[in-house]
Amino acid sequence: MEKTTRELLHNVFCIQDEVINKGIEVEEKIRDAFRSLEGTREYNQYKVLHAMQACRISDMHFNWHTGYGYNDPGRDAIEEVYAKLFNTEDAIVRPTIVSGTHALTLCLTGILRPGDELISATGKPYDTLEETIGIRGESNSGSLRDFGVTYKQIDFTSNGSVDLKGLRNSISEKTKMVFIQRSTGYSWRKALTIENIKEIVEVVKAVNPSILCMVDNCYGEFLERLEPTEVGVDIMAGSLIKNPGGGLALTGGYIVGKKELIKLVSYRLTSPGLGKEVGLTFGMTRNMFHGLFIAPHVVCEAIKGSIFCARLFEELGYEVSPKYNDIRSDIIQSIKLGSAEAVIAFCQGIQGAAPVDSFVRPEPWDMPGYDAPVIMAAGAFVQGSSIELSADAPIKEPYIVYYQGGLTYEHAKFGSLKALQSLLDNGCIQTI
């Protein structure tokens, strides 16, 4: 590290020399791990480029339209690109989809009917989906349970693998859909690889080819050279303020899959009979295209940051998942910090590293959709953008913090150093 950079970190950002030295030491040990990411980044960059060229994207697709949105060329073009990129028959890509949870809910409520059975092959889904399914929450809220959709979940085996035998045995004549969550969510496990997802699909289709396989792809786009829809998944959804938005999409979500399924979901999105033929994009297509174009590079930068974070905190004696040299299939880095105080200090360090709202001190609060107070650190250009540097955690045992994002590796690395400094400053770590 050049002397001027050290001086900047020490004098301006108040990072102690022992923290800076530890960062230099860790960075030297992980350079080989970075090289393996670059081939995937290049492949996915050309994959996105090909989709845009094949769909003949022009600046006309960035223009505003008004009213109902009939024949909006920008909206139609972005959906054509997503369908081609993810190798599906059709797509919905809209700024009016407010989150990944909203995109997933549209899929579940658009496709499932009274008497159908939903099976989660990956244990308890992410917290914000529990009330959609009806696992918890008030009755008569419009959950799947309220509408007569039954639910089963197949928990992971003791070694963290998908219980394929248990899944196979749980499928019944009522089973309409098997749900797969790719990322870790708020759990202590590795993200599912594309190969893992392929195995699940093969098990389900061997029992009954008509059962639908759906994937929550949040945090997983561009981690591998294939996406779930390229190994037999019928429908998939995610958020534009995570990986595929590249940090530029202001809001939105996407759904890709078979044409008939997209049609059903579009009827839930707007109205039966209208579907995806209406709905404005409010002049946001430029950012949606631009963000998608740079997304493979941005995702690679975020993964590098997670690898640095994993090695840094593992060397300090913390349990981390995944380890720095594990195969990754989402951008999330989990660190078991062991106390509420440490979780809060870590998140406050991440907030202090932000370009926006760095002066804010995040505190836990009762966030809607969660069963425990949650702390979220995210000083982002786009509020809630998880592809930008952020960290969050439910304040409950075993006190795991979930770190993700970073539009550049340098910023992601700085976030980890600030988090470590915050742990030292708050007495959660005595020495390095």
Side-chain angles (χ1 to χ4, degrees):
M1 182 183 294
E2 294 182 7
K3 183 179 178 182
T4 53
T5 304
R6 175 186 288 274
E7 288 175 346
L8 187 66
L9 289 174
H10 183 80
N11 297 334
V12 176
F13 294 112
C14 302
I15 306 292
Q16 296 173 14
D17 282 338
E18 60 181 334
V19 175
I20 297 171
N21 292 338
K22 187 63 180 177
I24 295 170
E25 176 189 330
V26 165
E27 195 166 39
E28 286 301 313
K29 295 175 181 178
I30 60 176
R31 292 196 184 278
D32 287 344
F34 287 178
R35 293 191 185 100
S36 65
L37 305 174
E38 292 166 0
T40 300
R41 177 186 66 191
E42 184 176 14
Y43 180 87
N44 283 323
Q45 182 65 75
Y46 297 147
K47 192 176 175 183
V48 172
L49 179 61
H50 171 66
M52 290 189 174
Q53 290 184 345
C55 296
R56 301 175 64 84
I57 299 308
S58 164
D59 60 359
M60 67 166 282
H61 294 125
F62 308 150
N63 294 335
W64 269 82
H65 281 72
T66 60
Y68 299 117
Y70 285 115
N71 302 314
D72 182 336
R75 182 199 63 217
D76 294 345
I78 191 72
E79 293 181 342
E80 184 183 3
V81 167
Y82 266 74
K84 188 165 194 66
L85 178 62
F86 290 104
N87 196 23
T88 60
E89 295 174 358
D90 206 352
I92 297 171
V93 186
R94 304 291 170 105
T96 48
I97 298 176
V98 301
S99 66
T101 298
H102 185 197
L104 296 165
T105 298
L106 288 169
C107 293
L108 294 171
T109 56
I111 294 169
L112 297 173
R113 299 290 182 265
D116 288 342
E117 179 179 77
L118 171 68
I119 299 177
S120 171
T122 48
K124 187 173 76 69
Y126 189 68
D127 297 44
T128 55
L129 269 186
E130 291 182 12
E131 292 187 59
T132 295
I133 294 169
I135 299 171
R136 63 180 173 88
E138 299 176 358
S139 61
N140 201 32
S141 63
S143 68
L144 295 179
R145 182 183 61 190
D146 287 340
F147 287 101
V149 176
T150 57
Y151 172 76
K152 294 177 187 173
Q153 71 182 40
I154 310 303
D155 292 329
F156 287 90
T157 63
S158 57
N159 66 3
S161 301
V162 175
D163 184 357
L164 295 175
K165 182 178 179 181
L167 173 61
R168 183 186 299 110
N169 292 338
S170 73
I171 293 173
S172 70
E173 292 182 356
K174 294 173 56 180
T175 305
K176 177 70 172 289
M177 178 185 286
V178 171
F179 176 82
I180 303 161
Q181 181 177 296
R182 182 176 180 177
S183 80
T184 62
Y186 281 159
S187 62
W188 187 258
R189 68 167 175 87
K190 295 177 185 177
L192 267 62
T193 65
I194 295 298
E195 186 59 33
N196 297 148
I197 294 170
K198 181 181 178 183
E199 290 174 348
I200 295 172
V201 173
E202 288 174 347
V203 165
V204 172
K205 299 295 185 180
V207 175
N208 184 349
S210 67
I211 294 175
L212 303 174
C213 291
M214 173 184 163
V215 165
D216 172 359
N217 206 35
C218 287
Y219 303 102
E221 298 88 354
F222 307 124
L223 268 287
E224 301 189 50
R225 298 188 183 201
L226 294 175
E227 295 292 339
T229 43
E230 297 177 276
V231 294
V233 166
D234 298 293
I235 191 161
M236 180 172 77
S239 168
L240 298 190
I241 60 171
K242 295 183 174 68
N243 301 17
L248 293 181
L250 301 180
T251 187
Y254 76 90
I255 302 163
V256 293
K258 293 183 175 178
K259 195 170 191 68
E260 187 58 33
L261 299 178
I262 293 295
K263 179 180 176 182
L264 290 174
V265 173
S266 76
Y267 288 167
R268 178 64 60 177
L269 174 72
T270 61
S271 175
L274 295 180
K276 57 176 285 189
E277 300 304 317
V278 296
L280 292 177
T281 48
F282 303 101
M284 295 186 185
T285 51
R286 182 188 300 274
N287 284 359
M288 291 157 74
F289 278 117
H290 193 176
L292 178 64
F293 179 70
I294 67 171
H297 180 80
V298 171
V299 168
C300 185
E301 295 290 279
I303 305 167
K304 288 178 179 179
S306 290
I307 289 172
F308 178 86
C309 183
R311 185 66 186 255
L312 177 65
F313 281 89
E314 186 176 9
E315 290 202 359
L316 294 171
Y318 290 100
E319 192 175 353
V320 302
S321 179
K323 296 184 182 298
Y324 84 97
N325 57 351
D326 282 342
I327 294 172
R328 291 173 181 263
S329 197
D330 72 1
I331 63 171
I332 299 172
Q333 181 61 50
S334 306
I335 308 155
K336 198 174 289 185
L337 292 175
S339 72
E341 293 76 17
V343 166
I344 293 168
F346 184 101
C347 289
Q348 289 176 345
I350 294 295
Q351 188 74 38
V356 179
D357 290 331
S358 62
F359 51 87
V360 172
R361 285 175 61 85
E363 298 287 349
W365 65 295
D366 293 320
M367 191 171 179
Y370 297 87
D371 63 358
V374 174
I375 185 169
M376 290 195 168
F381 295 101
V382 174
Q383 289 293 316
S385 172
S386 301
I387 193 59
E388 299 186 56
L389 179 64
S390 56
D392 50 275
I395 306 300
K396 61 182 180 182
E397 293 183 344
Y399 300 110
I400 299 168
V401 70
Y402 300 89
Y403 162 104
Q404 62 269 320
L407 299 180
T408 67
Y409 164 66
E410 291 77 15
H411 187 222
K413 177 178 72 172
F414 177 61
S416 292
L417 297 178
K418 282 287 284 184
L420 174 54
Q421 186 64 57
S422 181
L423 288 167
L424 282 165
D425 292 344
N426 285 276
C428 300
I429 297 176
Q430 301 306 315
T431 59
I432 296 178

